[in-house]
Amino acid sequence: MPQWWSDEYGLSLYGSLIHDAETNSMQWQIKAYNGSDTDYQLLVTALPFAINRNNALIHAISVQNNQQIWVNNAPFMATNTAPDAIGVGRIYDVMDGNIPAQTELGCIPQGDGAVIMRYGLYKEGYQEIQIAFPSSPDATTFPPTDKPFWKIHSETSVLWRDQINRVTLQLPDDRVTNAARASIGYLQIATDPNGVHPGPLAHNAVWVRDTAYIGLALLQSGHSDLVKNFIPSIFDDQTPDGKIPPIQGDDAPWLDDEWDSQGQAIFLVTTYYRYTRDLDMLRQYYPQMRLAGEFIRDLRANYTPDNPAARGLLPPSLSAEDLGPKDQHYYWDNLWAIIGLRELAYASDVLGENDSTWAISEADSINQAILDSVELLLGENPSYLPVSVEELGTPAMARGSVPMLYPFNAFRVDDDFIERSFQYYFDQWVAPHDGGFVHREGQFWTYGGMELAHAFLRLGMEAPFHAVLGWTLSNQTMDGVYAWAEQVSPVGLGFTGGDMPHAWAAASFYNLARTMVVWEHDETIELFRLAPSWWFEDGREVVANGLPTIYGDMTIRTTTELTMTENGWRGILRLSYELLGDMPEGGILWRLPYAPSDIRTVNGARFEDGVLHLSAPDDVIVMTFGD
């Protein structure tokens, strides 16, 4: 529900744009009061430009009844208040504020048609205008403009409160809280009946990989119903040999091979099951999941590369598109194949099927092929995982390697290769830009930086994590609304490519904020991973209510009477929590930054080696710090 306002030169202006569910229309209200002694004009124009700086060509335009505008032979907008004057023409006819005499242009080959409406705004005068737009480009009639705007505002507020408040995440850093809540809203905007789009502006198609990350965020924010609804569309286009088309929909911009989608589709279903325990859904899609796993297996079996460093890997593909050209062997594809195969084995065990052995063997084989490949390319104890066999030096390696850890820790390696890699990526591609991740064509890629932050968080790399988080919060593409474009310019941080608000970026941020509070890993739930210590000082509170986890919904609250001294915390810290479900095998833990001198607990918490261990599904713990 975006709003804008201005008070300058004696003019008070206000605008608000809201979707009205009852009439399925966009309703735009404009209020203008002229408190000056000068007469002004309020001009409303429709021009052939899209908000993402592309063209939105107008080849035909006409006005009916002075209040309805047709664009390209379809209803475009209607107003409840007839303007003083209205006309249509070409861009150059209206840009100086003049009103063309004609009200219809039937054929404009250049597509540069335009319309202009003029409302008088006289001294001490007031105008209130309501404009309605059909929500669907296929609409054949104009939406009504007589429904009171206050009623639309009230009804829409109720709908949004339900959508973004299914869970409560209230953190001492208001920026993190606001960004998390806004991100949930942007995910709703990007969700269509057939799935989630990269955003509302640029792409009318569904990317399977975006869906995997966005699906995880929706599950963690209480929207499992949405995920359940768009899982079928992901598998409806599966081919008989098991291939999952990576981009789906009539307006898919390209149809190149991208070998990551099979693993992502499997991951989406198993993740939905982990958070909902919907066994029927898992059983329903298991045959198609198995088929996708077999497709990965057969793709490898039928491919023999000439390059020794590519042996055992999947064939070349366009991969994740931003990583490089389509004639390379990308590790991203292979990491997602490992994730998909390990998750297929998990589903097989849950359902009592017999696919676990071969799926794990195939995953292990790809895992070893990646390690062998990197050693051939970079020698023993390599410093990092490149983006592909053919390209060893671009920043794409940083974003492309995140699936080693996130969203699923499926990659197996005995030494600290993963940590070395992400330290290298930070030093090369993030630290020089004060926490921003510079990727293709020297542009900042916001969601790429957030993906790296997930890896830093999991590895316990505190300084890199907070560098990225701080840059992200301080460099919103639209300041104050916690929205990020996919790509932004290094000069001025303007929107340069992809979509906006980018749904993958929104999903990554919400998942990041949530993981700082609750993180399930290694059969444990960890609380407050890399959360700054000041969150728990000077009377601040952390409140998380109804957070879905793979073990059940969790509610957490901390209150404090702590202060920071030169020797660490001093005072009282209270933690209360409740897990409505099964306790993880390894319990619940919190790696405290300072050791408590005393613990009072209802159900038996203990502090050991820097870690507070919680062994009960609910407890109230009072910790004293200092003498």
Side-chain angles (χ1 to χ4, degrees):
M1 300 169 62
Q3 302 174 72
W4 59 267
W5 53 88
S6 174
D7 264 306
E8 291 186 278
Y9 312 114
L11 294 174
S12 295
L13 305 174
Y14 169 82
S16 182
L17 184 67
I18 301 177
H19 176 260
D20 179 26
E22 183 182 27
T23 61
N24 192 28
S25 64
M26 297 304 300
Q27 299 279 338
W28 181 24
Q29 184 188 61
I30 307 166
K31 295 180 179 181
Y33 172 70
N34 182 3
S36 74
D37 57 1
T38 303
D39 292 339
Y40 287 94
Q41 296 175 349
L42 179 64
L43 302 177
V44 179
T45 62
L47 303 173
F49 305 127
I51 196 170
N52 63 353
R53 304 186 184 186
N54 292 330
N55 291 331
L57 301 179
I58 298 177
H59 294 290
I61 191 166
S62 63
V63 175
Q64 295 182 358
N65 306 321
N66 283 338
Q67 292 179 247
Q68 296 177 334
I69 298 171
W70 292 70
V71 170
N72 295 332
N73 302 313
F76 178 67
M77 60 180 273
T79 176
N80 67 340
T81 305
D84 298 337
I86 186 169
V88 302
R90 313 282 281 275
I91 291 177
Y92 56 78
D93 294 324
V94 307
M95 289 303 286
D96 59 0
N98 288 329
I99 309 295
Q102 67 266 32
T103 58
E104 181 174 356
L105 289 177
C107 180
I108 312 170
Q110 290 83 0
D112 61 349
V115 63
I116 185 170
M117 306 161 64
R118 183 180 68 212
Y119 293 87
L121 189 57
Y122 308 110
K123 55 186 176 182
E124 301 301 327
Y126 176 76
Q127 283 281 4
E128 182 173 318
I129 307 164
Q130 190 166 319
I131 297 173
F133 303 85
S135 287
S136 169
D138 301 323
T140 58
T141 60
F142 289 93
T145 58
D146 56 355
K147 184 177 178 181
F149 196 81
W150 65 265
K151 193 171 191 301
I152 298 170
H153 189 284
S154 176
E155 292 171 350
T156 306
S157 296
V158 171
L159 291 174
W160 271 118
R161 278 197 293 270
D162 173 67
Q163 294 302 312
I164 65 176
N165 292 325
R166 294 189 182 182
V167 303
T168 299
L169 195 60
Q170 182 178 329
L171 306 175
D173 190 332
D174 290 341
R175 299 176 307 163
V176 178
T177 299
N178 292 337
R181 294 182 74 240
S183 294
I184 297 172
Y186 296 139
L187 295 182
Q188 315 301 309
I189 293 172
T191 301
D192 282 355
N194 63 334
V196 282
H197 294 192
L201 302 180
H203 298 297
N204 184 32
V206 172
W207 269 254
V208 176
R209 66 175 151 273
D210 292 49
T211 302
Y213 288 91
I214 294 167
L216 176 60
L218 290 170
L219 288 165
Q220 292 186 345
S221 59
H223 292 276
S224 60
D225 52 332
L226 290 179
V227 180
K228 183 175 184 178
N229 287 341
F230 58 65
I231 283 176
S233 65
I234 295 296
F235 284 92
D236 282 349
D237 289 339
Q238 187 176 27
T239 60
D241 63 351
K243 178 181 178 181
I244 305 285
I247 310 174
Q248 302 178 5
D250 294 337
D251 296 326
W254 53 80
L255 299 174
D256 294 273
D257 290 331
E258 302 177 26
W259 303 131
D260 54 345
S261 53
Q262 285 69 230
Q264 290 149 0
I266 295 170
F267 169 82
L268 182 64
V269 180
T270 54
T271 303
Y272 171 79
Y273 169 75
R274 289 178 190 271
Y275 279 90
T276 65
R277 298 299 166 182
D278 187 343
L279 195 61
D280 291 339
M281 192 75 166
L282 185 67
R283 184 176 289 110
Q284 178 182 350
Y285 284 94
Y286 184 79
Q288 290 173 269
M289 295 161 61
R290 177 199 292 124
L291 199 60
E294 291 171 344
F295 179 83
I296 296 171
R297 180 189 63 191
D298 295 344
L299 193 62
R300 292 182 69 224
N302 295 324
Y303 176 64
T304 305
D306 295 329
N307 187 338
R311 289 174 187 166
L313 301 179
L314 295 173
S317 82
L318 187 58
S319 190
E321 300 139 24
D322 65 296
L323 300 182
K326 60 184 179 182
D327 59 352
Q328 297 186 15
H329 300 81
Y330 290 100
Y331 295 113
W332 166 278
D333 291 344
N334 292 274
L335 291 169
W336 267 108
I338 293 171
I339 293 173
L341 290 164
R342 295 202 192 285
E343 285 293 82
L344 176 64
Y346 166 75
S348 175
D349 291 341
V350 169
L351 295 172
E353 299 286 345
N354 58 1
D355 297 298
S356 180
T357 300
W358 73 261
I360 291 294
S361 176
E362 192 73 15
D364 289 344
S365 177
I366 300 174
N367 198 122
Q368 189 59 50
I370 292 174
L371 295 174
D372 292 344
S373 173
V374 177
E375 190 169 293
L376 276 173
L377 294 169
L378 301 178
E380 292 186 10
N381 301 314
S383 298
Y384 61 90
L385 179 68
V387 66
S388 70
V389 171
E390 293 78 10
E391 180 55 71
L392 307 182
T394 72
M397 68 174 71
R399 202 193 71 67
S401 297
V402 172
M404 285 197 288
L405 289 168
Y406 172 77
F408 188 81
N409 183 14
F411 191 64
R412 306 287 184 259
V413 61
D414 292 334
D415 66 3
D416 61 355
F417 169 66
I418 296 176
E419 187 168 352
R420 288 200 308 274
S421 295
F422 283 96
Q423 186 64 58
Y424 181 87
Y425 306 148
F426 177 76
D427 294 341
Q428 292 292 317
W429 315 115
V430 180
H433 311 288
D434 299 321
F437 170 56
V438 171
H439 186 18
R440 289 182 64 178
E441 299 168 352
Q443 306 293 295
F444 284 113
W445 283 59
T446 58
Y447 79 97
M450 293 184 220
E451 295 298 293
L452 286 168
H454 278 280
F456 299 147
L457 183 74
R458 282 155 172 74
L459 291 168
M461 298 171 63
E462 188 167 6
F465 168 73
H466 283 288
V468 174
L469 180 62
W471 184 95
T472 300
L473 290 168
S474 299
N475 293 280
Q476 302 162 44
T477 312
M478 182 176 287
D479 193 37
V481 298
Y482 303 97
W484 292 273
E486 184 173 359
Q487 304 165 47
V488 297
S489 169
V491 180
L493 298 174
F495 175 19
T496 57
D499 222 314
M500 164 78 183
H502 190 232
W504 189 344
S508 287
F509 190 92
Y510 178 81
N511 289 341
L512 204 60
R514 185 263 190 190
T515 305
M516 291 176 70
V517 178
V518 171
W519 176 34
E520 311 100 311
H521 72 107
D522 296 337
E523 302 296 329
T524 68
I525 291 178
E526 183 169 344
L527 305 182
F528 307 122
R529 177 73 166 180
L530 297 192
S533 60
W534 66 264
W535 279 16
F536 310 99
E537 299 166 6
D538 301 323
R540 298 182 180 95
E541 293 185 346
V542 174
V543 179
N545 186 37
L547 284 185
T549 78
I550 63 174
Y551 301 102
D553 291 352
M554 193 165 189
T555 294
I556 307 166
R557 185 184 187 96
T558 68
T559 57
T560 75
E561 299 168 17
L562 283 179
T563 56
M564 175 59 76
T565 72
E566 61 181 10
N567 297 318
W569 280 344
R570 185 180 184 87
I572 303 295
L573 170 59
R574 298 175 181 85
L575 167 67
S576 61
Y577 72 91
E578 182 179 27
L579 176 62
L580 299 177
D582 300 326
M583 276 291 288
E585 185 176 326
I588 303 170
L589 58 90
W590 181 2
R591 301 180 192 278
L592 288 166
Y594 304 101
S597 56
D598 181 64
I599 296 178
R600 285 175 287 163
T601 172
V602 174
N603 291 320
R606 73 182 194 281
F607 181 78
E608 187 177 288
D609 297 329
V611 178
L612 179 68
H613 294 269
L614 314 173
S615 56
D618 61 273
D619 207 342
V620 177
I621 302 150
V622 180
M623 291 171 280
T624 302
F625 293 82
D627 296 334

